[in-house]
């Protein structure tokens, strides 16, 4: 008699047997499916998502999301740890070889956990997760508001600083803000008022797609103050906006007050937009400098001699994925750069306090470098040039003859463009009007070639030179210690 054939393998999605009969794990990483779920819970899920959830051995998600699942989803329920990303590899390793289902709000690939899981699995050499999306809160909100999704800008404040919203504020612009919680709408109203957008219409949409969906409306200027805590305080209480659901989205019809400073989306913001002590690349020169730097999405700038931070800030304002590091030796000015970055909506600007070139060591390689001051510091130009990859851009501005001589020498050896920028402003002259000339700025801009220039010296990189070692970068410029642009951003 022939032996009985071995039992067939269970079909994918078959629930794990009870703990009385342990299930052997299949070698290899966990098999991950990400399921989007909305405020409508289990009943709002398509059949395919429900089937995956029933068959998963482990169900991972936030406490609110896990509570939406019925008892028929018998897998082990694992709340997300905090902080989340560092814990993901260990969590997946603990369920190696098993079917793991991760719950996400709405569309997991839109500011959701889907991106994190995809990146972590890729780092481990594993296949990306299977993703079963649900309509996102943005889709629901645009449907309720009658806004075309493709014309609606989205700003997330989930795990992001509130200050980042400021860069998106423009008169007449529609914005959707993804809230971090119940307190976010009041914080957004405060930021709008601070930036001169008090007339902005705010609509708070809560529990979108669920049975408790509701909408409240008010202008930022009229957002109610916090409820009274003292019986003698006349502040009104019981306002509906004092009880916002944590699951909310904020719709903004941006409206700028007439007296508020107008900030363009293009480089060359008004000088009054910055807090500064005079170390500021002035508006017209700044616009020309950003044009020479030519920022593109995702690129990194070193702003060396940051001063007030205007070049790095306006570089980052050109696109939300642009990054910048401002290097400033003066601690007071470094603090001012950070405040300006917050006020102008780019809080992710990194500020490094210390003298260049020493402070450049260890920084990620830039796509472009701007030197706004300190050109005569020994080895600064050499270090910045060495750090640039082929195709990287370098722009340097100066107002001194000594630094101009240095730039002329580098222009002779490396080419590029050497220009003089002269700006004059009309001012009263008695009862008439005349021109007042600002100090002319000499600007050198160049793109690093794929092959070194035959006249270019070989220099070590700032990232590899020992800290404090400046001898290989020595210069004979006798006025380096007193260069008036040594703290940068002075033109």
């Amino acid at each position: 008699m022939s032996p009985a054939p071995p039992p067939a393998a269970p079909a994918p999605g078959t629930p794990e047997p009870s703990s009385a009969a342990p299930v052997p794990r299949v070698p290899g990483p966990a098999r991950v499916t990400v399921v989007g779920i909305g405020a409508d819970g289990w009943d709002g899920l398509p059949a395919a998502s429900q089937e995956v959830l029933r068959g998963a051995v482990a169900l991972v998600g936030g406490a609110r999301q896990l509570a939406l699942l019925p008892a028929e989803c018998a897998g082990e329920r694992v709340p997300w740890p905090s902080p989340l990303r560092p814990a993901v590899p260990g969590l997946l390793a603990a369920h190696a070889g098993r079917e793991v289902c991760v719950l996400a709000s709405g569309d997991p690939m839109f500011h959701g956990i889907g991106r994190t899981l995809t990146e972590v699995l890729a780092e481990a050499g594993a296949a990306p997760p299977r993703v079963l999306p649900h309509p996102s809160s943005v889709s629901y909100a645009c449907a309720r508001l009658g806004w075309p999704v493709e014309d609606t800008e989205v700003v997330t404040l989930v795990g992001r600083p509130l200050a980042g919203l400021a860069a998106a504020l423009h008169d007449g612009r529609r914005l959707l803000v993804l809230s971090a919680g119940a307190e976010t709408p009041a914080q957004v109203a405060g930021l709008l008022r601070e930036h001169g957008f008090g007339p902005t219409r705010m609509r708070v949409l809560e529990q979108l797609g669920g049975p408790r969906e509701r909408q409240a409306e008010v202008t930022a200027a009229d957002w109610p103050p916090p409820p009274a805590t003292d019986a003698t305080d006349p502040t009104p209480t019981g306002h509906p906006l004092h009880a916002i659901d944590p699951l909310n989205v904020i719709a903004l019809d941006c409206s700028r007050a007439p007296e508020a400073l107008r900030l363009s989306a293009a480089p060359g913001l008004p000088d009054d937009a910055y807090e500064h002590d005079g170390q500021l690349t002035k508006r017209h020169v700044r616009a020309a400098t950003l044009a020479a730097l030519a920022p593109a999405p995702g690129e990194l700038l070193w702003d060396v001699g940051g001063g007030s931070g205007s070049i790095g800030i306006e570089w980052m304002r050109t696109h939300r994925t642009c990054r910048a590091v401002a290097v400033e030796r003066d601690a007071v000015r470094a603090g001012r750069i950070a405040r300006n970055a917050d006020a102008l909506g780019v809080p992710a600007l990194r500020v490094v306090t210390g003298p260049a070139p020493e402070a450049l060591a260890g920084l990620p390689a830039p796509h472009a470098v701007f030197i706004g001051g300190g050109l005569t510091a020994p080895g600064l130009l050499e270090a910045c040039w060495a750090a640039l990859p082929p195709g990287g851009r370098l722009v340097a501005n100066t107002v001194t003859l000594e630094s101009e001589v240095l730039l002329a020498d580098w222009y002779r050896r490396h080419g590029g463009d050497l220009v003089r920028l002269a700006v004059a402003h009309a001012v009263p002259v008695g009862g008439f009007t005349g021109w007042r000339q600002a100090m002319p700025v000499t600007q050198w801009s160049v793109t690093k070639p794929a092959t070194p220039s035959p006249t270019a010296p070989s220099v070590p990189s700032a990232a590899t030179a020992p800290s404090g070692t400046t001898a290989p970068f020595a210069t004979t410029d006798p006025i380096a210690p007193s260069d008036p642009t040594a703290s940068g951003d002075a033109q």
Side-chain angles (χ1 to χ4, degrees), residues 90-438:
L91 189 150
L92 296 178
H95 295 280
R98 293 187 170 186
E99 297 288 345
V100 174
C101 188
V102 174
L103 289 171
S105 293
D107 185 346
M109 300 306 294
F110 186 75
H111 295 291
I113 188 63
R115 173 177 177 171
T116 299
L117 285 173
T118 300
E119 292 172 350
V120 171
L121 289 170
E123 291 166 3
R130 176 189 181 196
V131 179
L132 302 177
H134 189 275
S136 69
S137 58
V138 169
S139 295
Y140 275 120
C142 286
R144 303 294 187 264
L145 298 166
W147 292 3
V149 176
E150 68 272 16
D151 293 336
T152 302
E153 184 173 357
V154 179
V155 177
T156 180
L157 297 181
V158 180
R160 312 281 178 87
L162 176 68
L165 175 60
L169 300 179
H170 297 284
D171 198 34
R173 188 72 172 152
R174 288 173 169 175
L175 300 177
L176 277 181
V177 180
L178 306 184
S179 283
E183 300 79 16
T184 303
Q187 295 168 353
V188 167
L191 181 139
L192 290 169
R193 293 192 298 268
E194 291 170 8
H195 285 76
F197 281 80
T200 295
R201 179 189 186 190
M202 296 180 62
R203 282 175 280 182
V204 183
L205 301 94
E206 306 170 58
Q207 288 284 330
L208 282 165
R212 294 188 293 118
E213 180 178 324
R214 70 168 186 166
Q215 184 179 144
E217 180 178 333
V218 71
T219 66
D222 294 331
W223 188 274
T229 56
D230 189 315
T232 63
D233 189 334
T235 303
T237 60
H239 195 287
L241 293 173
H242 289 156
I244 298 292
D245 190 276
L247 197 62
N248 71 81
V249 174
I250 310 161
L252 303 178
D253 289 280
C254 296
S255 180
R256 180 174 52 86
E259 69 279 6
L261 188 66
R262 185 180 185 277
L263 301 181
S264 168
L269 299 182
D271 294 345
D272 291 345
Y274 292 93
E275 175 191 347
H276 65 91
D277 61 357
Q279 295 295 321
L280 176 72
T281 301
K282 302 304 188 290
R283 181 179 192 174
H284 300 92
V285 173
R286 192 185 327 126
T289 300
L290 265 296
L293 286 167
E299 290 191 328
L300 172 67
L301 171 75
W302 285 2
D303 181 2
V304 182
S308 300
S310 65
I311 296 296
I313 288 169
E314 296 195 25
W315 167 281
M316 292 183 67
R317 282 175 59 93
T318 63
H319 195 271
R320 59 183 176 80
T321 62
C322 284
R323 300 163 292 138
V325 179
V327 180
E328 171 55 53
R329 68 178 184 178
D330 184 276
V332 173
R333 287 177 177 154
R336 190 177 292 121
I337 292 171
R339 292 193 297 274
N340 282 331
D342 276 0
L344 293 168
V346 288
L349 173 70
R350 179 181 173 187
V351 183
V352 174
T353 305
E358 292 83 0
L360 305 178
L363 295 182
H367 297 88
V369 176
F370 171 66
I371 306 176
L375 276 168
T376 55
L380 177 58
L381 260 171
E382 289 85 349
C384 291
W385 184 256
L388 279 173
R393 289 92 64 204
L394 188 147
V395 178
N397 290 357
T398 188
V399 295
T400 69
L401 292 174
E402 291 77 11
S403 292
E404 185 176 281
V405 170
L406 185 64
L407 292 184
D409 180 57
W410 278 72
Y411 169 67
R412 177 183 60 80
R413 289 186 285 149
H414 298 283
D417 289 310
L418 188 64
V419 300
R420 179 167 290 171
L421 306 173
V423 178
H425 296 271
V427 297
V429 180
F432 299 91
T433 304
W435 293 106
R436 176 171 293 167
Q437 186 77 36

